[in-house]
């Protein structure tokens, strides 16, 4: 039951010892606020890395062609490597069990118009699998499909912002959009977590783009996702083998870094995980060091309180107070100060993070925040440690005989 007299006595004690209470509370508040700020910054760095890869599948591999920088197999340096549709088919057949999705890309710059609205956009001509590599979400309508590839249909899927730019008072699906003087039917509108740049793209069937813009089977890039069941080492091995085989296919020196470039997100993901893991460990060390400092502060406060109140304890015992009631008064006072100071420190730390967000973004720290679970656990640890640290001297003092306590200097 709620004991009004007990709590009145606790608040009176805090009021009579304001300096002691404020110093003790400051130690706790500083520990919790610093703990929250450090974890918030680390979470901001993790958010930055996640944002960088949010619009691509984490198991993606991007294959780009370039120009040879070294002579190989009797061929001179400076030779342009050009991918074709058959190269995508070869990759799929050669590594069938390791490839999940695969697509080619062809890039075009177009002027798009609908009625009186006009703007410039980038077109990505792709295969249907591209939707899964890019994590593209179709808002309504549909994406490019196999029938479009086979029949080379003049259809496009436009980004959400393209629709906003050109289709001011109507929906885009079912309407015809003019791209460099050629009419294409809009069959879908998509959004992409990659941001505004991704949502100002236009997708069309790659076979359509090859026929209309070049009358050839050239592609600019081949992208794929590897089997998600592959572990990190297997994914890296697959990427290395893919690079080796492609260079053999195009008679490129294995030491030539410019002719064929393979970017494997497995390597980048591993680097990011190592960096965030290292930062996490560093923050844990610093954070727990700060918590330990807070615990020491609480412990010192408890010892000081018990020593200061030895005579008071003797008087209480002489008046018939039980050891349990004496210990509970001291511990409740400590816990109350810790909770109030800890909550204020938490608000301070989160407030600093909120105010510093614009500045931190300049240092690639995105949306710094802290988990309530972690901070509450830290606060609980402080309270528990302080209670345990204070319980022993309080228990010892409660066992002192009244006459001995009253003689204490």
């Amino acid at each position: 039951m709620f004991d009004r007299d007990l709590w009145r006595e606790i608040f009176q004690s805090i009021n009579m010892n304001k300096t002691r209470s404020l110093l003790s509370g400051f130690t706790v508040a500083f520990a919790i606020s610093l703990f929250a700020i450090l974890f918030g910054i680390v979470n901001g760095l993790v958010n930055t890395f996640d944002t960088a890869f949010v619009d691509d599948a984490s198991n993606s591999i991007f294959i780009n062609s370039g120009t040879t920088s070294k002579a190989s197999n009797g061929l001179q340096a400076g030779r342009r490597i050009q991918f074709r549709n058959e190269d995508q088919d070869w990759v799929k057949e050669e590594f069938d069990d390791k490839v999940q999705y695969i697509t080619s890309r062809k890039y075009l710059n177009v002027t798009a118009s609908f009625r009186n609205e006009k703007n410039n956009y980038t077109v990505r001509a792709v295969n249907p699998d591209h939707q899964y590599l890019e994590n593209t979400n179709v808002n309504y309508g549909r994406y490019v499909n196999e029938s479009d590839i086979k029949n080379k249909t003049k259809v496009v899927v436009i980004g959400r912002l393209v629709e906003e730019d050109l289709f001011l008072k109507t929906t885009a699906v079912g309407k015809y959009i003019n791209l460099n003087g050629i009419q294409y039917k809009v069959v879908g509108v998509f959004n992409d977590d990659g941001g505004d740049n991704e949502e100002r793209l236009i997708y069309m069937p790659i076979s359509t783009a090859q026929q209309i813009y070049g009358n050839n089977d050239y592609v600019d890039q081949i992208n794929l996702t590897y089997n998600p069941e592959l572990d990190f080492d297997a994914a890296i091995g697959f990427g290395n083998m893919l690079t080796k085989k492609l260079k053999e296919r195009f008679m490129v020196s294995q030491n030539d870094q410019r002719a064929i470039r393979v970017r494997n997100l497995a390597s980048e993901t591993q680097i990011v995980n190592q960096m965030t893991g290292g930062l996490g460990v560093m923050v844990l060390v610093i954070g727990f060091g700060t918590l330990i400092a807070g615990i020491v502060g609480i412990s010192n406060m408890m010892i000081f309180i018990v020593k200061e109140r030895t005579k008071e304890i003797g008087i209480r015992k002489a008046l018939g107070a039980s050891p349990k009631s004496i210990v509970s008064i001291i511990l409740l006072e400590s816990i109350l100060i810790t909770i109030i100071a800890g909550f204020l420190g938490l608000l301070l730390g989160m407030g600093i993070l909120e105010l510093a967000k614009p500045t931190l973004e300049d240092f690639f720290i995105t949306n710094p925040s802290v988990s309530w679970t972690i901070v509450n656990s830290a606060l609980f640890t402080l309270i528990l440690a302080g209670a345990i640290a204070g319980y022993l001297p309080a228990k010892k003092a409660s066992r002192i005989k009244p006459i001995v306590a009253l003689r204490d200097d």
Side-chain angles (χ1 to χ4, degrees):
M1 294 180 65
F2 180 78
D3 190 336
R4 182 178 298 177
D5 292 334
L6 173 63
W7 285 101
R8 182 186 294 115
E9 187 174 346
I10 290 172
F11 283 112
Q12 286 176 349
S13 175
I14 293 173
N15 187 57
M16 291 173 61
N17 300 277
K18 294 178 181 178
T19 302
R20 182 195 69 200
S21 300
L22 286 173
L23 291 175
S24 302
F26 175 79
T27 303
V28 175
F30 178 77
I32 290 295
S33 60
L34 184 59
F35 194 82
I37 291 170
L38 288 172
F39 266 96
I41 290 174
V42 170
N43 285 338
L45 289 171
V46 172
N47 291 337
T48 299
F49 290 130
D50 289 343
T51 301
F53 299 112
V54 70
D55 61 329
D56 296 318
S58 60
N59 58 331
S60 296
I61 293 179
F62 304 93
I63 309 169
N64 293 282
S65 62
T67 303
T68 59
S69 60
K70 296 182 180 181
S72 177
N73 294 287
L75 300 173
Q76 296 295 320
R79 178 167 52 97
R80 171 68 181 171
I81 302 299
Q82 179 67 66
F83 292 148
R84 297 174 178 267
N85 291 338
E86 62 186 36
D87 298 314
Q88 175 192 316
D89 297 336
W90 174 83
V91 171
K92 188 173 183 179
E93 293 173 5
E94 184 76 11
F95 302 97
D96 181 59
D97 59 328
K98 293 182 173 63
V99 174
Q100 181 188 28
Y101 299 112
I102 188 167
T103 182
S104 296
R105 277 183 182 178
K106 187 176 180 68
Y107 293 94
L108 305 166
N109 293 315
V110 300
T111 298
S113 62
F114 177 76
R115 296 177 182 170
N116 296 324
E117 302 301 323
K118 181 184 295 186
N119 211 332
N120 297 321
Y121 300 99
T122 297
V123 171
R124 280 181 185 167
V126 298
N127 297 98
D129 278 5
H130 189 275
Q131 179 179 4
Y132 306 104
L133 277 84
E134 195 69 20
N135 291 331
T136 301
N137 304 309
V138 177
N139 291 348
Y140 49 94
R142 64 174 178 84
Y143 199 71
V144 173
N145 60 31
E146 290 295 343
S147 177
D148 296 327
I149 300 295
K150 180 179 179 181
N151 298 317
K152 302 177 182 179
T153 53
K154 294 179 182 178
V155 297
V156 292
V157 183
I158 66 174
R160 177 181 62 86
L161 296 180
V162 177
E163 182 183 41
E164 289 185 8
D165 292 343
L166 303 180
F167 297 83
L168 304 180
K169 297 181 180 180
T170 184
T171 56
V173 173
K175 309 295 191 305
Y176 284 82
I177 188 174
N178 186 303
L179 303 182
N180 288 349
I182 301 175
Q183 296 290 325
Y184 292 83
K185 184 177 182 180
V186 179
V187 295
V189 176
F190 71 89
N191 68 75
D192 194 300
D193 292 334
D196 290 358
N197 289 336
E198 293 291 331
E199 294 185 341
R200 279 201 165 87
L201 293 173
I202 298 174
Y203 291 125
M204 73 167 55
I206 192 166
S207 58
T208 304
Q210 287 171 334
Q211 182 182 54
I212 295 176
Y213 305 99
N215 193 26
N216 55 49
D217 63 350
Y218 294 159
V219 300
D220 297 328
Q221 188 181 49
I222 298 174
N223 300 342
L224 62 90
T225 56
Y226 56 80
N227 189 330
E229 295 181 1
L230 296 179
D231 59 22
F232 171 73
D233 291 334
I236 293 297
F238 168 53
N240 292 338
M241 180 57 67
L242 177 61
T243 304
K244 181 176 181 294
K245 292 282 189 179
L246 281 169
K247 287 183 176 181
E248 291 176 353
R249 177 177 174 84
F250 287 92
M251 293 184 288
V252 172
S253 170
Q254 294 296 326
N255 297 323
D256 193 334
Q257 303 300 317
R258 296 182 182 178
I260 296 175
R261 303 180 302 279
V262 177
R263 177 190 171 203
N264 191 343
L265 286 193
S267 300
E268 298 180 14
T269 302
Q270 181 71 1
I271 292 171
V272 168
N273 290 339
Q274 289 175 347
M275 289 181 63
T276 54
L279 286 170
V281 171
M282 182 178 67
V283 168
L284 280 175
V285 172
I286 297 173
F288 278 110
T290 306
L291 289 181
I292 290 171
I295 291 170
V296 170
I298 295 173
S299 302
N300 291 335
M301 176 191 73
M302 293 296 293
I303 294 171
F304 181 76
I305 289 174
V306 171
K307 182 176 179 61
E308 187 183 55
R309 301 176 67 174
T310 301
K311 286 186 178 181
E312 178 190 332
I313 292 171
I315 295 172
R316 288 178 178 276
K317 292 198 68 175
L319 295 175
S322 65
K324 180 179 179 181
S325 66
I326 293 171
V327 172
S328 64
I329 290 173
I330 297 173
L331 289 184
L332 284 174
E333 180 180 336
S334 173
I335 291 171
L336 180 63
I337 292 173
T338 304
I339 290 175
I340 294 173
F343 182 72
L344 292 175
L346 175 59
L347 291 179
L348 176 63
M350 298 184 75
I352 291 173
L353 284 175
E354 189 67 28
L355 290 173
K357 271 185 181 180
T359 303
L360 291 174
E361 287 179 358
D362 294 337
F363 296 92
F364 306 103
I365 299 173
T366 304
N367 191 26
S369 58
V370 62
S371 167
W372 282 93
T373 302
I374 292 176
V375 176
N376 288 337
S377 299
L379 181 57
F380 176 77
T381 301
L382 276 176
I383 296 171
L384 182 62
I388 293 173
Y391 175 80
L392 297 177
K395 187 69 175 177
K396 182 179 180 180
S398 68
R399 291 175 179 172
I400 298 176
K401 294 181 179 181
I403 188 65
V404 175
L406 291 170
R407 289 175 182 171
D408 185 73
D409 293 331

